[in-house]
Amino acid sequence: MRLNKYYSAAFLAFFVWGFFSFALKPLHNYPSLDILFYRVFFSAITMVLINVVFRRNVMRKNWNHFKTIPPKQQKSVVMLTLGGGIFLSSNWFVYIYVMNHVSVNAASLAYLICPIVTTVFAFFMLKETLSKWQWIAVLISVFSCVLLSFNHFQDIFYSLITAATYALYLVSQRKNNDLDKFLSLTIQLIFTALVLLPFYPKYSGTIPVEPLFYGYMFLIVFFFTIIPLFLNLYALKGINSSAVGIMIYINPIINFLLAIFYYNEQVTSLQLFSYLLILVSIVVFNEKLLFPRKLKLAPSEIPVLK
């Protein structure tokens, strides 16, 4: 059951992110950069308030723990935490740029490439081992992404950059286990806010005054930023980066279903087949969890009733 709760956390994080369009679509008249600015700033302020008001003991305990660990380990904690903030802010920057200046297809394709890139990075950087079936799942994913990239080869480069920044975030945070995950996420959001702050005066629009904006921003901050990011980091405590990475496919699958059944967008049979392959790859990658094998005992190990 210990393992299952980490898988559940990863699944829930990307399941929630799959419905992000419900909060973003109503804000389509607002500049994308403004949404990014307010998302980061409000998230950072909210996280600080939660820690200061409700988690001061946790902060004190983590600070005392940090002071007791060796200097080399302290440096590693600082580098991994701030490095995670850099990867996270870079991912959000690049994603907004790709969405606004390249194509929506390239931004969507990044979600599909990210699990593959995460698996490769984890294999080489963290020495995470994959079973034969998991490598087959990766190959199925690669094939499905190739199918979806037909007639959009120019988007692959931008999608790879977007995917690589989030993959590096996942891989780096897999090793960052010395701090409380909620506190670590708070530091990363504060760091991201500080990175974005100098750009705000020049690139932001007029301050929104409509209650609609702040109502949906509340949903974005709590349900589509803080909660899934925390679940994402929590999952990395118990399962490897590759397993969390493969869960990212839940996001585009939900987006694909919403596009068909909720937003009434047209899809091709090739797209339908490609997403079906992605669903198959998720099942194959997690076949040991979904289809646990019974342990076979040797005759000498079978207990004898007396």
Side-chain angles (χ1 to χ4, degrees):
M1 293 302 294
R2 181 177 176 81
L3 185 63
N4 285 343
K5 70 179 181 180
Y6 296 118
Y7 270 94
S8 298
F11 175 86
L12 186 58
F14 296 111
F15 180 81
V16 169
W17 268 325
F19 295 92
F20 197 8
S21 60
F22 284 171
L24 278 180
K25 281 284 188 180
L27 300 179
H28 67 277
N29 289 326
Y30 294 92
S32 298
L33 269 179
D34 277 5
I35 296 173
L36 175 65
F37 284 138
Y38 289 107
R39 178 190 185 187
V40 173
F41 296 154
F42 288 169
S43 296
I45 293 170
T46 302
M47 294 287 281
V48 169
L49 288 175
I50 292 173
N51 277 283
V52 170
V53 176
F54 300 107
R55 309 183 82 245
R56 277 180 289 187
N57 289 335
V58 175
M59 292 171 63
R60 192 179 300 112
K61 182 179 178 181
N62 274 258
W63 174 244
N64 291 334
H65 170 70
F66 179 78
K67 289 190 296 183
T68 60
I69 60 178
K72 185 177 180 180
Q73 194 173 345
Q74 288 180 348
K75 184 178 179 181
S76 175
V77 171
V78 172
M79 294 296 291
L80 287 172
T81 303
L82 296 185
I86 291 173
F87 293 138
L88 191 61
S89 58
S90 299
N91 177 257
W92 288 355
F93 260 131
V94 174
Y95 182 80
I96 290 293
Y97 175 81
V98 172
M99 180 70 76
N100 287 345
H101 301 288
V102 182
S103 72
V104 175
N105 183 71
S108 301
L109 195 58
Y111 279 110
L112 301 176
I113 295 174
C114 190
I116 301 168
V117 177
T118 303
T119 300
V120 173
F121 282 174
F123 179 76
F124 286 105
M125 297 169 66
L126 299 180
K127 309 302 180 184
E128 292 183 358
T129 57
L130 297 177
S131 68
K132 176 185 69 176
W133 285 106
Q134 287 175 322
W135 277 117
I136 290 173
V138 171
L139 292 176
I140 294 173
S141 301
V142 171
F143 180 63
S144 64
C145 291
V146 169
L147 292 179
L148 286 168
S149 68
F150 281 166
N151 301 321
H152 298 283
F153 290 108
Q154 71 276 14
D155 294 342
I156 289 291
F157 174 75
Y158 297 102
S159 299
L160 278 171
I161 296 175
T162 309
T165 52
Y166 194 71
L168 286 169
Y169 175 72
L170 287 179
V171 171
S172 66
Q173 298 316 291
R174 175 71 173 119
K175 298 178 66 177
N176 191 17
N177 293 316
D178 282 290
L179 291 181
D180 172 76
K181 291 299 184 183
F182 196 88
L183 182 59
S184 177
L185 178 58
T186 302
I187 296 170
Q188 289 169 353
L189 285 173
I190 292 172
F191 182 74
T192 302
L194 292 175
V195 170
L196 290 175
L197 192 59
F199 298 94
Y200 176 75
K202 183 176 181 180
Y203 295 101
S204 66
T206 56
I207 298 176
V209 295
E210 297 83 0
L212 174 77
F213 178 85
Y214 294 100
Y216 281 107
M217 191 54 60
F218 172 84
L219 293 177
I220 290 173
V221 168
F222 277 95
F223 295 102
F224 297 109
T225 302
I226 293 176
I227 292 176
L229 275 177
F230 173 70
L231 289 171
N232 211 180
L233 291 177
Y234 177 78
L236 287 168
K237 289 176 62 178
I239 55 178
N240 61 36
S241 308
S242 302
V244 174
I246 207 73
M247 292 287 185
I248 294 174
Y249 283 134
I250 295 165
N251 188 334
I253 286 175
I254 293 174
N255 286 334
F256 183 71
L257 294 174
L258 288 176
I260 298 174
F261 298 109
Y262 187 79
Y263 295 113
N264 298 317
E265 294 182 5
Q266 297 297 317
V267 297
T268 66
S269 55
L270 181 61
Q271 287 176 309
L272 194 61
F273 177 68
S274 299
Y275 276 92
L276 180 62
L277 284 180
I278 289 171
L279 188 59
V280 170
S281 73
I282 295 175
V283 174
V284 172
F285 192 93
N286 296 287
E287 54 94 20
K288 284 187 178 179
L289 180 71
L290 297 173
F291 310 106
R293 297 173 178 83
K294 291 183 179 180
L295 182 63
K296 293 183 178 180
L297 298 177
S300 58
E301 297 176 314
I302 300 175
V304 178
L305 295 178
K306 294 182 179 180

